[in-house]
Amino acid sequence: DQRRYTETDAAEQTEIARLRETSGGRPILLNIGRLVGYKGQGYLVEAIRDLDVTLWFAGTGPLQTELEQQVTRLGLSDRVRFWGGVDDRQLAALLKASDVFVLPSITPNEAFGIVQIEAMACSKPIICTDLPSGVPWVNQHGTTGLVVKPNDVAALRAGILQLTENPDLARQMGVQGRQRAAVEFTEDRMIDRYWELFQRLRPRA
């Protein structure tokens, strides 16, 4: 059900504006997920080392202290924020306030990335990694975002630059992502597909 991401009331609009103000006018990158090794968040921190962007992490996990230390060591404390665990409403507000959603996972433990669909429903372009899983099928390279090599800081950085320095391209990919989410990944579409499958599998008399 994508309504949480496609609909915005007045109170949420106010919260989105407040969140954007905290970035100091910089493009906002967002990552959502557990702070664990296979998510590749350390590569993302390294990738923004010399970029004029803001990075938000929404989620908790065993690597939080290590990531916070990395942020401090690289002098990025004023541009990286750890939001911790957030509820559904705050999650939607963070997505809507961000400019680019980044999923830098490094192993096929990241099998699909439902968070990509949530970002697409919010019209956000996506940067994900080219894993042997469903991740690069959800986010289509050149259409809804960019797919870059995993375990590659330079590739991640180049993708971030491409989208943050070309806002029209980022906006177009965001629109196309929302269209893809509406066509392929709604609750109603899933139900229809299961029904079609059951009809094909039904024994014939």
Side-chain angles (χ1 to χ4, degrees), residues 19-20 23 26-30 53-56 97-100:
L19 289 169
R20 289 196 61 81
S23 75
R26 301 184 184 97
I28 300 168
L29 312 179
L30 175 64
V53 298
T54 293
L55 171 58
W56 292 343
S98 67
D99 295 295
V100 179

Side-chain angles (χ1 to χ4, degrees), residues 42-202:
Y43 290 90
L44 179 53
V45 172
E46 182 67 32
I48 72 158
R49 179 198 288 245
D50 59 348
L51 302 183
D52 191 26
V53 298
T54 293
L55 171 58
W56 292 343
F57 288 110
T60 61
L63 287 189
Q64 180 162 341
T65 299
E66 181 178 322
L67 288 168
E68 289 173 340
Q69 291 172 346
Q70 181 185 11
V71 166
T72 301
R73 185 172 67 254
L74 296 178
L76 300 173
S77 298
D78 62 330
R79 292 190 281 127
V80 179
R81 178 166 180 176
F82 293 86
W83 288 90
V86 297
D87 61 26
D88 289 345
R89 186 170 180 82
Q90 188 176 17
L91 183 68
L94 290 173
L95 275 165
K96 293 171 185 178
S98 67
D99 295 295
V100 179
F101 182 78
V102 188
L103 190 71
S105 305
I106 58 175
T107 79
N109 288 48
E110 191 72 75
F112 187 83
I114 290 177
V115 287
Q116 294 188 112
I117 299 172
E118 295 168 341
M120 289 159 66
C122 293
S123 301
K124 302 305 173 181
I126 298 170
I127 300 172
C128 73
T129 47
D130 192 11
L131 300 173
S133 71
V135 169
W137 175 77
V138 175
N139 175 36
Q140 298 189 325
H141 181 71
T143 301
T144 61
L146 302 174
V147 179
V148 303
K149 290 172 60 178
N151 301 282
D152 191 325
V153 170
L156 200 53
R157 180 183 184 277
I160 293 167
L161 281 173
Q162 185 174 350
L163 292 184
T164 56
E165 292 184 350
N166 296 277
D168 289 341
L169 174 63
R171 194 173 303 110
Q172 179 185 2
M173 288 180 168
V175 169
Q176 291 168 169
R178 182 163 181 165
Q179 292 169 346
R180 177 163 168 74
V183 170
E184 295 290 341
F185 301 117
T186 62
E187 185 177 50
D188 287 343
R189 181 62 172 143
M190 182 193 71
I191 292 169
D192 288 343
R193 283 177 166 166
Y194 270 111
W195 182 248
E196 291 166 4
L197 175 62
F198 296 153
Q199 292 298 305
R200 292 201 306 271
L201 296 176
R202 185 177 60 181

